[in-house]
Amino acid sequence: MTSRTTLIIGANSSIGAAIAAHHQQLPTEDIILISRKITHQLATAKNVKTIMVKNYQANSIDLAIEQLKHINSKAIGHVYICNGILHNDALRPEKRLEDFNQEAFNQVMTANALTPILWLQKLTPILTGEKPCKVVLFSARVGSISDNQLGGWYSYRASKAALNMMIKTASIELARRAKNIKLIAFHPGTTDTALSKPFQHNVAKDKLFSSEFVATKLSEIVENVAIDQTVSYLDWQGKTIDW
C-alpha cells in the first residue's frame, strides 16, 4: 500500500522523466506528474497520475493545484520543481554585454525564477503539516555570485541567483510557519540533455551525466538530508555550494 506521494513538476523534461522512473520503482509511493505535455510511458503506470497544464502562468498553476487536491489523498513527501530554460531557437546564453537582450532576459527570468517560486507559493498550504516534505528546486552553480569566475551568461546567471535568493528567503519564513518543509536548491551538474547539448564540447566525459545518474544521486540526497528549518544549496554530490 502506498504511503506517500511524490510530485514532479515539469515532468516531461529529461531529468523529470528520470526522477519519475526512479520513484516509480518504489512500491510505497504514488507519483503525480505535472507538465504541459507528458510523452514518456510512465504516464500510464498504475501508481502514476497526471495533471496537464496549458502553460506555467499563475492561473494555470491555480487550476493544477485544485486538480492536485482532488486526485491526491496522501501526504506529499517529495516535490521536484524541474522548470527552467537555458536556450531555445530564439535565445542563447550571452557571451558579451552586447549580446544582452531584454526580451530574452524576461523569458529566462520567468522560466527559471518566477515559475518555480509560484509553484512553491501555491503548494505551501498543501504541504504544510505534520508529515515531512522535501522540496527540490532546480538551481545551478552559475547562480552562485561568489563562485562566478568566468562571467558571461548574464540572463541565466541572474535568473538562478534570483531563484536562490527567493528560495533562501522562503526558507526563513517556512522555518516559522511550516517546520515540516525542507527546501533544497539543487545543481545537477552538466547533464546530457537537449538543454546542455550545444555546450557539451568543453565538458570532460566523466563530468557529463545521464539523466538517470542525476535522478539517482538526487534521490540519495533527498532521502538523507535532514529537515532542519533551513535551506540547502547542494550539487549532485551532495556538497554545499556557496551562495
Side-chain angles (χ1 to χ4, degrees):
M1 182 176 179
T2 55
S3 59
R4 72 180 180 191
T5 295
T6 289
L7 176 63
I8 305 170
I9 299 168
N12 206 50
S13 66
S14 295
I15 295 178
I19 293 169
H22 179 85
H23 281 271
Q24 200 270 332
Q25 300 174 33
L26 305 177
T28 59
E29 293 195 12
D30 279 346
I31 302 169
I32 298 177
L33 309 177
I34 299 180
S35 186
R36 287 174 293 184
K37 61 179 180 179
I38 301 174
T39 57
H40 45 86
Q41 294 181 345
L42 283 175
T44 60
K46 184 177 180 180
N47 61 332
V48 176
K49 299 176 182 177
T50 62
I51 297 174
M52 307 299 292
V53 291
K54 181 180 180 181
N55 52 48
Y56 288 120
Q57 296 180 5
N59 289 343
S60 293
I61 292 175
D62 284 335
L63 290 174
I65 294 297
E66 290 305 312
Q67 292 182 63
L68 177 62
K69 293 177 184 176
H70 179 71
I71 68 173
N72 181 60
S73 59
K74 299 178 176 68
I76 298 175
H78 295 158
V79 179
Y80 299 92
I81 302 176
C82 305
N83 301 110
I85 187 173
L86 173 58
H87 66 90
N88 58 28
D89 291 340
L91 65 88
R92 290 289 186 273
E94 309 93 342
K95 294 181 179 180
R96 307 178 302 162
L97 272 171
E98 289 83 354
D99 298 331
F100 186 83
N101 176 274
Q102 180 179 347
E103 184 176 342
F105 174 81
N106 289 337
Q107 185 177 349
V108 172
M109 187 65 74
T110 296
N112 292 346
L114 177 60
T115 297
I117 208 67
L118 283 175
W119 280 113
L120 182 61
Q121 177 195 41
K122 304 297 185 179
L123 283 168
T124 293
I126 298 175
L127 304 179
T128 302
E130 296 181 358
K131 298 288 186 179
C133 181
K134 299 172 182 179
V135 180
V136 177
L137 300 99
F138 275 70
S139 183
R141 190 180 299 275
V142 296
S144 166
I145 293 175
S146 62
D147 190 69
N148 184 3
Q149 305 297 322
L150 296 176
W153 291 33
Y154 287 88
S155 298
Y156 191 72
R157 286 184 186 276
S159 67
K160 294 300 186 179
L163 176 64
N164 286 351
M165 178 59 80
M166 289 193 286
I167 296 172
K168 192 166 186 178
T169 302
S171 74
I172 296 170
E173 179 179 349
L174 297 184
R176 298 191 298 264
R177 56 180 284 229
K179 296 181 183 297
N180 68 305
I181 298 176
K182 168 71 176 183
L183 299 183
I184 303 167
F186 178 65
H187 167 64
T190 303
T191 310
D192 189 12
T193 67
L195 186 79
S196 69
K197 191 68 71 176
F199 314 102
Q200 293 178 6
H201 55 280
N202 289 327
V203 179
K205 289 185 178 180
D206 63 341
K207 296 298 182 182
L208 181 62
F209 308 130
S210 69
S211 296
E212 292 74 19
F213 173 83
V214 172
T216 299
K217 299 300 289 186
L218 177 55
S219 179
E220 293 172 0
I221 290 168
V222 172
E223 287 295 338
N224 292 319
V225 73
I227 296 181
D228 53 5
Q229 290 75 57
T230 188
V231 64
S232 294
Y233 183 18
L234 304 173
D235 69 9
W236 59 275
Q237 300 174 91
K239 295 182 177 180
T240 297
I241 301 172
D242 290 335
W243 298 96

